Amino acid sequence: MATPNPTEPNNTKRHTPPKPGTRPSVRADAAVCDDFAVIMSAGGTASDAIRTAVAMLADMYRTGWAHGVCPPGTAPRLLAYQLEQRPTTTPALTSGQATVSDSRTAPRPVSQRLPRPPVGQHFSA
């Protein structure tokens, strides 16, 4: 029998998260490299991209479990997401009659509190 690949998922054992200060590694194929290129084109490093992605996924799991969208310990399935447009610079006024019609403010930083439960069917906790 072949030796199991240590990077392959094994549903029979419980995985433990890496310890703070360690450097977890991920095998990067062409698709992952392409995804990094897209994310990093907006600025930042590969480490920044990984930290942000892990934080976003963990928040999605916490929200799904806290609101009973899926049973605890299972992966929720993301069906949709909402983006907020960043404010753009306002062009200079060309006449006395021109006024600024867009009064958007800068985006608020994301907090660690859970959002309201999503719509749809929920599981009992």
Side-chain angles (χ1 to χ4, degrees):
M1 182 169 186
T3 305
N5 184 342
T7 62
E8 290 296 319
N10 183 352
N11 294 333
T12 60
K13 72 176 185 177
R14 186 82 174 161
H15 296 283
T16 58
K19 292 184 169 114
T22 61
R23 295 178 176 258
S25 63
V26 176
R27 189 169 288 136
D29 60 8
V32 171
C33 291
D34 290 345
D35 292 341
F36 269 116
V38 170
I39 295 169
M40 292 170 66
S41 70
T45 66
S47 292
D48 295 334
I50 291 169
R51 284 187 198 98
T52 301
V54 169
M56 290 172 65
L57 186 60
D59 284 343
M60 187 177 86
Y61 277 45
R62 285 185 200 104
T63 301
W65 296 341
H67 294 300
V69 174
C70 60
T74 63
R77 199 173 88 187
L78 180 64
L79 299 177
Y81 55 90
Q82 184 174 355
L83 302 174
E84 180 179 50
Q85 182 178 2
R86 292 187 179 208
T88 58
T89 57
T90 306
L93 301 177
T94 56
S95 71
Q97 295 178 332
T99 60
V100 176
S101 62
D102 189 4
S103 61
R104 285 188 215 165
T105 59
R108 293 177 296 146
V110 177
S111 69
Q112 288 298 322
R113 71 184 178 116
L114 293 172
R116 292 193 331 241
V119 297
Q121 181 181 5
H122 297 181
F123 294 89
S124 60

